[in-house]
């Protein structure tokens, strides 16, 4: 018998596997290698909700868990961390006043600079300068998922097929799946978790997001810009632009409407020509209260879940994975805001 079966290899699955490795736990991962939010997301990590210029929930704690990505870089031998401040475009005196007010909040001070910096890039529309958020950047999540899958495959820890719920047998002290017996099974399936029969009582949603990659040799910007959309430098004159949020569209293909929306917002930022290189779409696992789903099944304790990371998956995945591991192994409390028990009243007879 092994200790864990992990279903899904996005950011949450990788983060949980890292906890298992560091604690010398035996495990296998089941993943079919198909698209997930981790493969199509922007990869941004930023503790500030820029629309409100306010610290995100548990922002300090989540930022402290970012060291896990440094270890992943070392273990995998890949460059996935791209550090960069975020420059928020300020378009009016009101924007400047709002920025100064936000900077005066105690929680925001470690990240938001009170001093406005002048816009020195004539390619960008920011007539009142930029507000600066420090300690931010982006993770190359597509590279991370690919490298980690290869890492596990070489150690024969990866089962490369789709998980079948019909093949899982729940026992009093563990589970059995495809001849493998384990003490626990952890579901980190992303939007595929919507079809998980044991956690179907949870309000897991899929929110469509679309991104563009553009090229502009005239822009010449190496810092992340935010002005309604993010513009993330990728190098060689290429930039990632996003993202959209659509709670109704269930089609997997990119849409003209999302492209037009992104370009309209981008045109409010850039004053130089550009052209679109690619347009991609994917689905984020989200929840109505915008908090992850972390914990064990109320009736079947060998079953656990770590899902619903939304658009802050880079920050939330290491934090939530650690919370779940510490709960299972040591009985430490999971924060009430993310504990699946907040939805316990909705559970059906499963």
């Amino acid at each position: 018998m092994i200790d864990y079966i992990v279903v899904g290899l996005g950011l949450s699955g990788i983060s949980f596997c890292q906890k298992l490795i560091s604690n010398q736990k035996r495990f296998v991962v089941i993943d079919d290698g198909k698209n997930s939010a981790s493969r199509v997301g922007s990869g941004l990590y930023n503790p500030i909700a820029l629309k409100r210029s306010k610290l995100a929930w548990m922002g300090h704690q989540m930022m402290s868990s970012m060291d896990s990505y440094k270890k992943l870089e070392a273990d995998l031998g890949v460059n996935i961390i791209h550090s960069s401040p975020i420059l928020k475009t300020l378009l009016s005196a009101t924007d400047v006043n709002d920025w100064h007010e936000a900077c005066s909040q105690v929680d925001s001070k470690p990240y938001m600079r009170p001093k406005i910096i002048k816009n020195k890039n004539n390619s960008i529309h920011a007539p009142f300068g930029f507000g600066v958020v420090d300690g931010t950047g982006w993770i190359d999540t597509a590279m991370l998922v690919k490298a980690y899958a290869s890492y596990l495959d070489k150690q024969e820890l990866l089962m490369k097929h789709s998980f079948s719920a019909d093949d899982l047998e729940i026992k009093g002290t563990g589970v059995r799946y495809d001849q493998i017996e384990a003490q626990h099974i952890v579901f980190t399936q992303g939007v595929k978790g919507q079809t998980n029969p044991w956690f179907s009582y949870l309000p897991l949603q899929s929110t469509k997001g679309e991104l563009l990659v553009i090229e502009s040799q005239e822009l010449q910007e190496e810092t992340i810009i935010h002005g309604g959309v993010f513009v993330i430098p990728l190098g060689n004159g290429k930039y990632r632009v996003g993202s959209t949020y659509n709670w109704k569209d269930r089609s997997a293909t990119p849409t003209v409407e999302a492209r037009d929306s992104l370009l309209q917002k981008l045109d409010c930022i850039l004053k130089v020509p550009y052209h679109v290189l690619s347009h991609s779409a994917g689905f984020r696992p989200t929840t109505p209260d915008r908090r992850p789903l972390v914990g064990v099944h109320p009736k079947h304790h060998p079953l656990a879940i770590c899902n619903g990371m939304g658009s802050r998956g880079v920050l939330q995945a290491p934090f939530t994975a650690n919370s779940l591991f510490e709960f299972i192994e040591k009985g430490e409390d999971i924060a009430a805001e993310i504990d699946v028990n907040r939805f316990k009243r909705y559970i059906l007879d499963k």
Side-chain angles (χ1 to χ4, degrees):
M1 175 180 282
I2 63 175
D3 299 303
Y4 287 87
I5 297 172
V6 179
V7 183
L9 198 61
L11 292 178
S12 294
I14 290 172
S15 297
F16 197 80
C17 288
Q18 285 295 94
K19 289 296 298 182
L20 298 180
I21 291 171
S22 63
N23 286 273
Q24 298 180 324
K25 298 294 182 179
R26 297 164 299 165
F27 70 95
V28 296
V29 176
I30 302 171
D31 184 77
D32 59 13
K34 295 182 179 178
N35 282 346
S36 70
S38 303
R39 292 180 171 88
V40 297
S42 67
L44 278 173
Y45 59 92
N46 165 34
I48 301 296
L50 283 171
K51 285 186 178 180
R52 303 184 302 277
S53 296
K54 183 180 179 182
L55 186 70
W57 177 79
M58 298 290 278
H60 294 314
Q61 293 88 335
M62 291 184 185
M63 284 295 287
S64 67
S65 67
M66 285 297 297
D67 285 345
S68 62
Y69 292 105
K70 295 179 182 178
K71 188 173 189 312
L72 279 166
E73 276 194 329
D75 290 346
L76 301 175
V78 293
N79 180 24
I80 58 171
I81 304 173
H82 301 271
S83 301
S84 168
I86 294 174
L87 304 184
K88 182 178 181 180
T89 59
L90 302 177
L91 307 179
S92 66
T94 300
D95 286 348
V96 173
N97 291 335
D98 290 345
W99 183 265
H100 285 313
E101 182 178 349
C103 289
S104 68
Q105 303 299 312
V106 174
D107 285 345
S108 302
K109 285 184 177 179
Y111 312 104
M112 297 175 66
R113 294 188 204 172
K115 183 178 180 180
I116 304 300
I117 68 169
K118 184 178 180 180
N119 177 21
K120 297 181 179 179
N121 189 337
N122 293 328
S123 302
I124 299 172
H125 181 65
F128 284 77
F130 298 106
V132 183
V133 183
D134 287 313
T136 55
W138 64 282
I139 301 294
D140 191 334
T141 55
M143 179 183 289
L144 171 58
V145 171
K146 182 179 179 180
Y148 206 82
S150 177
Y151 168 73
L152 293 178
D153 193 29
K154 290 177 181 177
Q155 299 183 67
E156 299 183 345
L157 297 175
L158 180 61
M159 301 171 65
K160 294 184 283 187
H161 61 72
S162 297
F163 173 79
S164 172
D166 293 337
D167 293 335
L168 183 68
E169 179 184 356
I170 304 172
K171 300 182 177 182
T173 57
V175 298
R176 182 182 178 89
Y177 182 85
D178 193 20
Q179 308 303 314
I180 298 173
E181 292 189 353
Q183 293 180 357
H184 309 276
I185 184 167
V186 177
F187 295 101
T188 63
Q189 298 167 284
V191 295
K192 294 178 183 177
Q194 291 180 298
T195 60
N196 186 307
W198 301 282
F199 289 100
S200 60
Y201 70 96
L202 295 174
L204 184 66
Q205 304 167 333
S206 59
T207 302
K208 188 174 182 179
E210 301 190 40
L211 295 165
L212 303 176
V213 174
I214 66 166
E215 183 175 24
S216 175
Q217 296 300 329
E218 295 182 44
L219 179 52
Q220 295 292 308
E221 181 59 51
E222 298 180 353
T223 307
I224 299 171
I225 305 296
H226 180 270
V229 290
F230 284 101
V231 181
I232 304 172
L234 303 178
N236 299 318
K238 298 178 182 178
Y239 302 84
R240 181 176 291 123
V241 179
S243 175
T244 62
Y245 297 82
N246 191 316
W247 290 267
K248 296 181 180 179
D249 186 3
R250 294 292 176 262
S251 65
T253 55
T255 63
V256 173
E257 292 79 8
R259 176 190 171 103
D260 289 346
S261 175
L262 290 171
L263 293 180
Q264 183 180 20
K265 293 175 180 177
L266 182 62
D267 288 341
C268 293
I269 302 174
L270 302 188
K271 299 192 292 183
V272 291
Y274 62 86
H275 66 275
V276 177
L277 296 177
S278 66
H279 180 190
S280 59
F283 292 92
R284 310 176 188 90
T286 60
T287 61
D289 60 5
R290 299 186 179 183
R291 298 286 182 265
L293 301 168
V294 183
V296 301
H297 193 279
K299 295 183 178 180
H300 306 301
H301 294 171
L303 277 59
I305 187 171
C306 189
N307 206 337
M309 301 298 126
S311 61
R312 293 188 175 274
V314 168
L315 274 179
Q316 296 193 130
F319 175 82
T320 53
N322 180 70
S323 296
L324 180 58
F325 181 84
E326 295 298 314
F327 174 76
I328 294 173
E329 294 292 333
K330 302 177 184 178
E332 294 188 8
D333 290 340
I334 296 171
E337 295 92 336
I338 62 174
D339 195 328
V340 292
N341 282 328
R342 71 190 191 274
F343 299 112
K344 190 175 180 178
R345 63 186 183 279
Y346 298 122
I347 190 169
L348 302 177
D349 184 20
K350 295 193 177 297

